[in-house]
């Protein structure tokens, strides 16, 4: 490609609205342009990277036995009404009407569509298993699009759906996709971790997120530095610590006046006791039932874990009115003592508390010297808190650390959630009707570009891994007035293109400095500079990733480049 005519608008300055390096560089390097908040055009250079990532995804999905199709972005509301998601989702689900005033959605995902295809086309166990995937634009009306294409309202996703006759089959399909994802992200040059994630709203059991480690990641990962354990904060389990030997004598409970002292900080200040002595009591409503969750003052309640204890669909904090109605207390003074008719669950760490502090369920009063098992009892001690750095690894007992991650992939065991709702059933070997057992598997293709840039850049610009680079070689004649430099650059351009490499020739009438800055910015792996030494048959080869440069003879260029491309 000749840069003189290439639609590649690079920018010298950082765009004002960009918050992360990948957003800045995607704009400055002419990969993409914002059309509206969360909505982007991919310019020719960006499209080349997209296509390279898609090629890797296709190769690995096909290798895993998945078959590509394309489904419509516009989906009839009826399907979403059948699965109940038409009402379950709010403003994030983009909806539209056609000319006959019929309701449609712009697809944020395609469980409904693919399951309706399976329902209509598959009747026998002989047709199972199969895995269908597409690479297609998705629409999600994010409340707050940010970080460029990382959280966009229109984005490109590879979404795959597996159909099996039973859960053993699903486990195999799931593993095949998991392994394909490891190959895909490895080939994209990413440092990533597959983390156990909570199934959340999507339902089904078992799900992993593929996280690219990056400070700007919106998700927090708890991982073990010694073993392969990694889980997102929602899911990370906290092991029950062995109870510390009681060093304190248990004192008898006392009610103390604590006027206007309602937060844990104020309380520990007012009574001059450490936060871990305070028992935080939080009243929730799980599918309409009141539940009281007890957590140590220095820990954080994990709502997903609380929800899972009750297998609840909806979990919300109780309102002040409900606190009054159910336990005749007020926020800031809630405690477990004397509470009846409400399920009480506590985190493991509460059980071994000695002489703790709780609300007295009376405005302006707390209890001190509270001892679990003496002054109150609970229905269940379980893991209810967020894991913290320094906690013990659930697998190997080494220490847990935190990292930020960008989610680029997500694999789910769906089970029969959608096939039951939409009637995607098959006749098994005994002629009995069974719902198909599904898995679904997503990769954020456009988000992966940003993740690759987050992990592959320096102060001068992007450093593309060879596997996804928009071009392999960037040729720069230093002085366009020097005939021999232009001629040799042209010659090399043709020769390299004939070997099947993707080559960009900077044939612009620009100063050398401008050309070198742009070359660093757009980050092509190998740069060939044709300068004054060309009279001695010498040109300069520079590796963008390492900065290493060497003078080589023009006629040994091809093999040098081919061997280099294998190693960098
Ligand atoms: C919606 C809206 C947003 C959504 C969903 C539905 C996320 C929704 C979860 C998934 C699960 C998997 C197949 C590919 C991999 C991910 N955001 N999810 O279902 F209506 Cl507005 O999309 N789908």
């Amino acid at each position: 490609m000749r840069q003189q005519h290439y639609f590649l608008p690079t920018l010298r300055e950082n765009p004002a609205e960009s918050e992360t390096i990948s957003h800045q560089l995607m704009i400055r390097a002419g990969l993409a342009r914002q059309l509206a908040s969360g909505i982007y055009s991919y310019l020719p250079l960006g499209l080349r990277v997209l296509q390279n990532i898609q090629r890797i995804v296709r190769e690995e999905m096909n290798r895993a036995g998945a078959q590509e199709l394309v489904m419509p972005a516009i989906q009839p509301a009826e399907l979403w009404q059948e699965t109940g998601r038409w009402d379950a989702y709010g403003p994030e689900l983009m909806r539209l009407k056609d000319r006959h005033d019929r309701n449609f959605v712009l697809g944020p995902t395609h469980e409904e569509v693919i399951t309706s295809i399976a329902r209509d086309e598959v009747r026998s166990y002989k047709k199972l298993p199969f895995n269908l995937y597409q690479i297609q634009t998705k629409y999600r009306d994010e409340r707050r699009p940010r970080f460029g294409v990382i959280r966009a309202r229109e984005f490109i996703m590879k979404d795959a759906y597996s159909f099996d006759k039973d859960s053993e089959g699903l486990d195999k399909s799931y593993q095949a996709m998991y392994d394909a994802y490891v190959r895909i992200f490895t080939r994209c040059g990413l440092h990533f971790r597959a983390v156990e994630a909570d199934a959340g709203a999507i339902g089904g059991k078992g799900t992993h997120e593929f996280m690219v480690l990056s400070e700007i990641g919106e998700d927090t990962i708890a991982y073990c530095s010694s073993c392969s354990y990694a889980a997102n904060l929602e899911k990370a389990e906290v092991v029950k610590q062995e109870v510390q030997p009681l060093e304190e004598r248990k004192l008898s409970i006392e009610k103390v006046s604590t006027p206007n002292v309602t937060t844990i900080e104020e309380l520990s200040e007012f009574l001059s006791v450490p936060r871990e002595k305070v028992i935080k009591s939080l009243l929730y409503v799980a599918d309409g039932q009141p539940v009281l969750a007890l957590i140590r003052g220095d820990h954080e309640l994990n709502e997903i874990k609380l929800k899972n204890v009750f297998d609840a669909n909806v979990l919300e904090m109780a309102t002040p009115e409900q606190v009054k109605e159910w336990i005749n207390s007020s926020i800031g003074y809630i405690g477990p003592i004397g509470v009846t008719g409400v399920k009480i669950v506590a985190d493991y760490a509460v059980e071994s508390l000695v002489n703790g502090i709780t609300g007295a369920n009376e405005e302006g009063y707390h209890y001190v010297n509270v001892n679990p098992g003496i002054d109150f009892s609970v229905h269940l001690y379980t893991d209810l808190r967020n894991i913290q750095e320094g906690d013990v690894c659930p697998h190997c007992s080494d220490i847990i650390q935190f990292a930020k991650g960008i989610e680029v992939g997500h694999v789910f065991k769906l089970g029969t959630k959608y096939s039951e709702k939409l009637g995607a059933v098959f006749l098994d070997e005994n002629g009995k009707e069974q719902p198909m057992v599904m898995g679904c598997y997503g990769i954020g293709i456009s988000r992966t570009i940003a993740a690759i840039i987050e992990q592959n850049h320096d102060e001068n610009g992007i450093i593309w891994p060879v596997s996804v680079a928009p071009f392999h070689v960037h040729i720069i004649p230093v002085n366009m007035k020097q005939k021999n430099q232009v001629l040799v650059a042209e010659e090399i351009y043709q020769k390299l293109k004939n070997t099947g490499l993707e080559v960009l020739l900077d044939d612009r009438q620009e100063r050398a400095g401008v050309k070198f800055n742009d070359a660093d910015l757009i980050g092509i792996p190998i740069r060939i500079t044709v300068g004054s030494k060309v009279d001695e048959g010498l040109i300069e080869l520079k590796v963008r990733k390492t900065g290493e440069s060497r003078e080589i003879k023009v006629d040994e260029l091809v093999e040098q480049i081919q061997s280099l491309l294998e190693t960098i």
Side-chain angles (χ1 to χ4, degrees), residues 80 85 89 92-93 108-109 111 140 157 159 161 202 410 412 418 440-442:
W80 286 70
R85 297 213 288 178
Y89 280 89
E92 192 189 352
L93 179 59
T109 183
E111 280 81 5
R140 293 179 185 177
M157 181 198 277
D159 45 323
Y161 305 85
I202 191 81
H410 203 156
F412 292 84
Y418 290 92
C440 64
Y441 317 90

Side-chain angles (χ1 to χ4, degrees), residues 80 85-86 88-95 105-112 138-142 155 157-161 181 199 201-202 407 409-412 414 418 439-443:
W80 286 70
R85 297 213 288 178
W86 173 260
Y89 280 89
E92 192 189 352
L93 179 59
M94 298 189 89
R95 304 161 198 253
V105 304
L106 274 181
T109 183
H110 282 70
E111 280 81 5
E112 279 77 4
K138 293 283 185 288
Y139 300 87
R140 293 179 185 177
D141 201 353
E142 297 284 350
F155 57 97
M157 181 198 277
K158 183 286 299 171
D159 45 323
Y161 305 85
Y181 276 43
I202 191 81
E407 177 193 329
H410 203 156
V411 291
F412 292 84
L414 277 180
Y418 290 92
C440 64
Y441 317 90
I443 290 180

